[in-house]
Amino acid sequence: MFKKLLIANRGEIAMRVNRAAHELGISTVAIFSEADRASLHVRNADEAFCVGPGPVARSYLNIPNIISAALISGADAIHPGYGFLAENARFAEICADHGLAFVGPSPETIAKMGDKATAKAIMSEARVPTTPGTDILNSVMDALAGAKRLGYPVMLKATAGGGGKGMRAVRTPDELEHAFATAQAEAEANFKDGRLYMEKLIEKPRHVEVQIMGDAYGNVVHVGERDCSVQKPSHQKLVEEAPAPHLPDRVRRKLHDTAIAAARAVKYKSAGTLEFLLAGDDVYFMEMNTRIQVEHPVTEVLYGVDLVREQIRVAAGEKLSFDQKRLVPSGHAIECRINAEDSANNYAPAAGTLVDVAMPGGYGVRVDSHAYAGLAVPPFYDSLLAKIVTHGATRIEAIDRMIAALGDTRIAGVNTTIDICSAIMRDGRFREGGIAIDYLPAFVPPSAAALAT
Amino acid sequence: MALARIGLGSNEGDPAGYVEAALVALARYGRVAARSSLYATKAWGVTDQPDFVNAAALFETELAPRDLLATLKTLEAELGRVETFRWGPRAIDLDILAYDDLVLHEPDLVIPHERLHERAFALVPLAEIDATFESQVAALPASERAAVQRIRLPAARTIWPVTWDETLDRVRSAAEFCASAGLVRIRIEEDDVAIDVRRTPRAVAVPLAALDEAELGTPAPGALAATNGNAHAATGHVLRAEFVGIVRLSRPTVAVGAEIAEDRELAYVESLGIRNPIRSGGSGRVAEVFVTDGEAVEYGQPLFSIET
């Protein structure tokens, strides 16, 4: 097992990893930016190094200073958390070059899965269903032929794309020529690469993902699925739950089997997630995340396993401590993300100082948070302040427990998503279950409507 | 092309929402060259009515005065009806307050608006975007002016810090960005806050006068040694580590009080096998040495202070 682990992250996930490491008897090294000097993740670690100023490019992405901190402190491994360097194949490679174990999959796997086209090709080969699509389109004629084959509506996408740039939904052949030209120009302008391809547009899908875990000895298990369909207009998740409600057993099995096949295809040896779009009973592979995810506690609570601890053990060359038979879900789990955001203003991030913080607790309630009264929320980073997870014997019990937990939660000083989460938990449509990703953007909290009248 | 001054007002339902919606709708018929903040005015008499929300806009338009009036009436009806028909057609009022320098007296259209001079709720927003109306605002009784309150954006929209510490953090970040981008000046403005940073380019060194003394005195976690920042003269600078690494004092090593004749290497930070020199940045006297040879240093850690 490792002796000392450097945690290349901040906030709640750095604290989460810190706890897992301490439980395993590993001492920890935190890194921080000047803006995070007073953060809990800095205090809770055994050692800490400032690696740069507030902006992430010069601190949490400052590879030379992070590696140097690891070497100076005598760390033998680096846990990247999520975000920042977690899916940076080059960083994983640099760790290896300096004799540091990277807690995650191999650099090759990260690189393959990071490239959407390669990932899709690998998945197709492993007979994992992917969104039907075309190769690179050479002309509008190509595009028209492709769209005819796939059937409208279709989505034009830039091969170098990201962040919605170079993407156009096309519903009729008439729209295609114009959409092709504008998407191409946008892709050219943003990525210096105007190449486009086309996919069938899956309308109003659900977002369901499968947690997998593998080790270096070829053992791969799935740890069930999570439904993350409550997404902000920016496609960021707000509420996650497991298991996915109203999923026919047949579809659930298909998802799990597919995820296992995919993980085996890339000899996956860490914690990872396969994201799927679900439309009716059809399942389409979207992408694979080669990191621990924000919403992993939902799965941990449901299955009673510690994924981060397992991730560290596996990275140290140990075997998975459970097999598929031992993984049995119990009841239902829900997570609400409490972000420093203004939900009434398109979730604009809010910075400020938390003047009052009270977190919920009690039976069936888990809180992962780095918030404390007096914490100045810097403007440079993700707005996540806390993850509240409730567990119940049934879905409704978990939801009602969440309502109570959110009622006990108090964060003053910045706007938060507490109220919107609470409104969602009370919403009839959500309580029914099985909502699609168009749910939240169209959701109007009843309290706001009542205020307006 | 004419420049019209439009007044907007609502006290129904979501008044701010109506005003914002009307501003968006206006842009279909011309260019909204400027818009005021939103202002709240207490509803007179009846106390259970919501406050009025008012705003003004400078509106560039091809429409003649009478066509503009008709357009505004159409918009009033459209916004009132489409948004919430149950609130009736008066959910929003749109008025022509002025139209270029035009003076018009007709039974159904008077420009400038005949009661503009006595309406604080119209004048105050207008004066915010058109200084020619400031004198008319000044001529209003103080009590009427005070009844029109600018609506502050909710705190969460303000990305800017509210405490001194954070303000200083922002200044520091701006200064760092300025230096890293090789700029000599950067000015950032948002809402009521403006940060203006000017820099005299000098390698690695941060002018001592610009440093927050409290920051130097703060014991930091990890490898950063607690330092005494108060002992320095006001002129000079602190040399800090930019790289996480091991500091090695260069030979001959300098001690406190040593005079430096010219720019020279005082130490280097060894990071990933690379020597990153720490230079004095000119002549001066070593006021303090914060580190010892072979010590691990983190980003921003003070190494030497130099008096000049």
Side-chain angles (χ1 to χ4, degrees):
Chain A
M1 184 47 67
F2 303 125
K3 296 265 181 296
K4 198 184 263 192
L5 178 72
L6 181 137
I7 302 162
N9 215 300
R10 63 181 298 279
E12 67 85 19
I13 191 62
M15 292 175 63
R16 169 75 185 88
V17 175
N18 191 66
R19 278 192 294 270
H22 279 170
E23 278 179 38
L24 287 165
I26 304 169
S27 65
T28 55
V29 183
I31 60 159
F32 63 98
S33 75
E34 288 182 319
D36 274 342
R37 203 171 272 285
S39 278
L40 281 186
H41 85 271
V42 179
R43 296 188 209 171
N44 291 6
D46 300 311
E47 294 167 58
F49 283 85
C50 181
V51 292
V56 295
R58 297 189 53 203
S59 49
Y60 294 104
L61 298 178
N62 187 334
I63 295 178
N65 274 357
I66 293 169
I67 298 283
S68 186
L71 296 179
I72 286 172
S73 61
D76 43 9
I78 295 191
H79 195 301
Y82 52 68
F84 297 136
L85 296 166
E87 287 169 288
N88 184 322
R90 212 175 99 74
F91 179 65
E93 217 176 301
I94 293 170
C95 286
D97 288 349
H98 287 90
L100 298 160
F102 177 81
V103 180
S106 68
E108 297 74 36
T109 304
I110 299 174
K112 277 184 201 160
M113 290 300 133
D115 183 84
K116 290 197 176 189
T118 312
K120 257 185 96 168
I122 292 172
M123 291 305 152
S124 294
E125 207 151 298
R127 309 185 71 81
V128 174
T130 59
T131 326
T134 64
D135 290 333
I136 308 276
L137 301 166
N138 294 314
S139 65
V140 182
M141 293 309 292
D142 248 18
L144 281 166
K148 193 169 176 189
R149 183 169 60 77
L150 297 173
Y152 290 90
V154 294
M155 181 72 96
L156 283 171
K157 291 184 172 183
T159 48
K165 299 267 166 49
M167 267 169 72
R168 285 286 183 288
V170 182
R171 292 175 190 285
T172 63
D174 309 344
E175 294 172 21
L176 191 56
E177 192 169 344
H178 179 67
F180 189 87
T182 53
Q184 196 166 41
E186 205 169 281
E188 188 69 51
N190 282 289
F191 315 116
K192 297 187 169 52
D193 179 352
R195 291 177 302 157
L196 301 177
Y197 66 101
M198 185 187 282
E199 276 182 359
K200 184 158 179 58
L201 177 62
I202 315 291
E203 291 196 275
K204 298 185 185 176
R206 287 169 69 181
H207 175 121
V208 179
E209 59 189 31
V210 180
Q211 176 73 52
I212 54 159
M213 193 78 225
D215 65 18
Y217 307 94
N219 301 306
V220 175
V221 296
H222 73 78
V223 200
E225 80 285 354
R226 295 182 287 258
D227 188 326
C228 314
S229 301
V230 180
Q231 299 184 358
K232 298 186 273 188
S234 55
H235 295 300
Q236 287 164 315
K237 300 161 185 168
L238 187 65
V239 175
E240 299 99 341
E241 62 181 306
H246 307 310
L247 204 59
D249 278 346
R250 187 170 36 83
V251 178
R252 178 168 286 125
R253 260 201 310 278
K254 184 160 138 197
L255 274 170
H256 296 171
D257 293 348
T258 301
I260 294 272
R264 285 198 199 287
V266 292
K267 298 189 175 63
Y268 201 78
K269 54 172 192 66
S270 186
T273 300
L274 285 106
E275 297 192 333
F276 297 93
L277 293 179
L278 187 69
D281 285 357
D282 292 329
V283 163
Y284 302 102
F285 168 80
M286 195 164 37
E287 62 181 51
M288 179 171 190
N289 298 318
T290 56
R291 57 165 195 267
I292 192 78
Q293 284 191 281
V294 176
E295 61 271 25
H296 75 273
V298 173
T299 301
E300 292 185 328
V301 162
L302 193 73
Y303 282 84
V305 294
D306 184 333
L307 292 173
V308 175
R309 174 195 169 98
E310 206 59 23
Q311 203 189 12
I312 297 171
R313 289 184 64 258
V314 165
E318 299 194 8
K319 280 189 181 161
L320 276 182
S321 64
F322 39 72
D323 58 16
Q324 194 67 61
K325 279 202 298 285
R326 238 216 64 199
L327 292 168
V328 183
S330 144
H332 200 93
I334 297 195
E335 171 179 279
C336 285
R337 297 194 191 188
I338 309 305
N339 302 329
E341 284 171 358
D342 185 0
S343 61
N345 185 17
N346 203 21
Y347 301 91
T353 298
L354 309 183
V355 293
D356 190 9
V357 174
M359 287 296 170
Y363 181 70
V365 180
R366 166 177 170 175
V367 178
D368 286 32
S369 174
H370 62 289
Y372 64 88
L375 173 70
V377 180
F380 306 109
Y381 316 113
D382 186 85
S383 53
L384 182 69
L385 289 178
K387 303 187 299 203
I388 299 176
V389 180
T390 57
H391 187 211
T394 63
R395 182 167 184 269
I396 288 299
E397 192 180 304
I399 292 175
D400 286 342
R401 187 157 288 146
M402 181 63 80
I403 292 174
L406 291 170
D408 286 348
T409 311
R410 205 183 134 68
I411 297 178
V414 295
N415 278 3
T416 69
T417 49
I418 296 172
D419 289 348
I420 186 88
C421 286
S422 202
I424 293 167
M425 294 301 124
R426 291 167 203 272
D427 181 48
R429 189 66 200 84
F430 177 78
R431 295 176 73 91
E432 224 168 79
I435 51 105
I437 60 171
D438 61 329
Y439 166 78
L440 187 57
F443 178 65
V444 181
S447 56
L451 280 175
T453 51
Chain B
M1 181 74 70
L3 187 65
R5 280 89 172 154
I6 309 288
L8 306 93
S10 170
N11 82 327
E12 295 280 6
D14 170 18
Y18 278 116
V19 172
E20 295 290 352
L23 283 165
V24 172
L26 258 185
R28 301 208 303 259
Y29 301 95
R31 194 174 82 86
V32 177
R35 55 154 297 178
S36 72
S37 311
L38 298 178
Y39 288 82
T41 315
K42 289 263 171 271
W44 292 103
V46 202
T47 47
D48 62 342
Q49 272 207 356
D51 290 355
F52 272 91
V53 170
N54 289 95
L58 299 187
F59 185 55
E60 283 177 8
T61 181
E62 304 277 5
L63 297 170
R66 199 156 281 284
D67 294 332
L68 178 57
L69 178 68
T71 301
L72 295 183
K73 293 301 142 198
T74 310
L75 279 180
E76 282 179 357
E78 189 184 300
L79 289 166
R81 197 171 54 236
V82 174
E83 299 285 307
T84 60
F85 48 87
R86 60 197 159 121
W87 282 313
R90 300 286 287 176
I92 178 127
D93 275 318
L94 302 173
D95 291 309
I96 305 175
L97 302 177
Y99 188 99
D100 282 341
D101 294 328
L102 183 73
V103 177
L104 190 69
H105 272 276
E106 286 178 20
D108 56 342
L109 183 59
V110 179
I111 292 176
H113 196 283
E114 56 183 336
R115 300 176 69 185
L116 178 61
H117 65 282
E118 61 184 40
R119 285 185 170 175
F121 63 81
L123 272 175
V124 172
L126 183 55
E128 180 192 330
I129 50 175
D130 187 342
T132 54
F133 290 87
E134 276 172 2
S135 57
Q136 290 194 46
V137 171
L140 289 168
S143 61
E144 287 181 23
R145 263 181 286 155
V148 183
Q149 292 285 334
R150 185 165 152 202
I151 300 174
R152 299 258 157 201
L153 292 174
R157 288 195 191 183
T158 310
I159 311 204
W160 285 97
V162 283
T163 65
W164 262 111
D165 272 1
E166 285 180 305
T167 306
L168 289 173
D169 275 349
R170 295 307 300 241
V171 171
R172 194 173 299 127
S173 303
E176 271 157 8
F177 176 76
C178 203
S180 69
L183 303 171
V184 293
R185 181 174 177 193
I186 182 170
R187 185 176 164 83
I188 306 166
E189 272 184 69
E190 189 170 345
D191 294 337
D192 293 333
V193 184
I195 290 178
D196 195 332
V197 173
R198 291 168 213 222
R199 186 177 69 98
T200 311
R202 187 193 298 176
V204 192
V206 182
L208 187 62
L211 278 173
D212 178 13
E213 295 259 301
E215 184 223 24
L216 269 179
T218 305
L224 179 51
T227 57
N228 174 9
N230 298 323
H232 309 309
T235 55
H237 53 268
V238 173
L239 303 174
R240 292 168 174 260
E242 271 204 79
F243 294 90
V244 174
I246 304 292
V247 66
R248 308 279 182 201
L249 300 180
S250 304
R251 316 259 159 205
T253 57
V254 292
V256 173
E259 297 289 340
I260 302 163
E262 58 193 352
D263 184 31
R264 61 159 281 203
E265 181 187 289
L266 303 181
Y268 60 92
V269 174
E270 201 177 283
S271 181
L272 304 182
I274 296 165
R275 284 175 62 136
N276 303 285
I278 306 296
R279 304 193 67 88
S280 64
S283 62
R285 195 181 73 86
V286 177
E288 192 129 6
V289 180
F290 299 111
V291 285
T292 55
D293 193 65
E295 191 179 328
V297 292
E298 64 178 357
Y299 175 88
Q301 185 163 341
L303 306 174
F304 303 91
S305 83
I306 309 292
E307 277 175 16
T308 48

